[in-house]
Each structure stands twice: as C-alpha cells, then as structure tokens.
Amino acid sequence: MTTPVTFMDMLRRLLRADEQGRAAKTVEIYGWVVLIEGATCMIWPHLVATVLGIPPLEGQGVGYFRLAGVWVAGIGLLYVLSGRLNATGFVFSTLLDRPLVLPLFGVLWYFGMVAGTLALAAGLQDLLTCLWTWAVWRREFGGGRTGPASS
C-alpha cells in the first residue's frame, strides 16, 4: 500500500530534490540541455538552422521550426521534472527510448526528410547521454543484482 502524497509534498521534492538519485540527476541535466535547445529554436530559428546546416527558413517554415522548438522544450521540461522528482521508472524508460533516436533519424535522413547534420547531432546527443545515464544507473543500482547467487 502506498502512502498518500500531497501537492505540497511533491512541490517540496521538486524544489529541493533531496531524494534525487544519481541516474535521475543525469536525466535532469539532459532535460536542461534539451529545454535550452528547444527554447533556442523558438527564439532564434534562423541561427539554429544555420548552425545545423539546414536550408534557410522561409515563410511558414519559421513558424513550424518554432513549433518544433516548443515540442522539444516540452520534452526537456518533462525530463527535468522527472529527474528532479527521482522518477525511477521514467529514468529507466529513457534507457529504452533514447537509443532509438539515432536509427530513427538515420531513416528520416535516408529518405531526405531531415538534414544529415540535424540527424547526426540529435541522434548522437541522445545516444551518448543515454550511455551516460546507463553507466550511472549500473553504478547506482548494481546492474540489477540484489546479492550473491546461491548455489
């Protein structure tokens, strides 16, 4: 049976993060990076397009790029909050979905749907930060072992 948690309890945990584990901290840091990337896409879409080697944004392209930035920032915020609240299930689920980003972007690049620089930057960022979280997870939780095996 679980004990009830009030809104104020969760707010305190969010602001102080006293119970935050090391793996959750990696997810929070990754979330801040993604949140900043999304905000940058919203505020300076032309600059981001230039840095990523995307053709100049014209007409509605600027609006859609900003909209994509909103989505990216929202995902970043989800990672920040889940990391701060030490949501272990969420941290584990990121270990399953982040490695898929590079191959999925590879497919999108292959079919000419995204620029290669964007596919490579986003895919490698997700893969490398996932490996970081996984390494910390293994140190924090011992790779899932609970004790010595009995004979």
Side-chain angles (χ1 to χ4, degrees):
M1 179 172 235
T2 61
T3 56
V5 180
T6 67
F7 179 80
M8 290 308 292
D9 291 336
M10 291 303 286
L11 191 58
R12 263 187 234 96
R13 283 182 60 194
L14 180 65
L15 295 175
R16 296 201 40 144
D18 290 331
E19 301 171 19
Q20 185 180 38
R22 293 178 309 204
K25 184 67 174 176
T26 68
V27 169
E28 179 193 351
I29 292 168
Y30 171 71
W32 282 112
V33 170
V34 173
L35 181 62
I36 290 167
E37 289 169 347
T40 305
C41 289
M42 288 186 288
I43 298 167
W44 298 294
H46 296 289
L47 173 67
V48 174
T50 302
V51 168
L52 291 175
I54 297 172
L57 301 171
E58 299 175 3
Q60 289 183 328
V62 176
Y64 286 126
F65 201 79
R66 284 191 168 121
L67 182 60
V70 170
W71 284 98
V72 170
I75 291 169
L77 184 59
L78 176 65
Y79 275 69
V80 167
L81 296 176
S82 296
R84 291 285 294 174
L85 294 173
N86 200 37
T88 308
F90 182 84
V91 173
F92 175 75
S93 70
T94 70
L95 295 174
L96 301 177
D97 79 329
R98 287 192 298 182
L100 299 175
V101 173
L102 183 59
L104 289 173
F105 265 115
V107 170
L108 293 174
W109 167 78
Y110 180 79
F111 288 109
M113 297 176 171
V114 297
T117 51
L118 173 62
L120 193 59
L124 283 178
Q125 174 181 292
D126 269 346
L127 181 62
L128 294 175
T129 58
C130 177
L131 291 173
W132 174 40
T133 300
W134 179 71
V136 172
W137 176 279
R138 299 243 331 145
R139 280 196 309 270
E140 186 173 356
F141 297 107
R145 294 181 301 275
T146 56
S150 58
S151 338

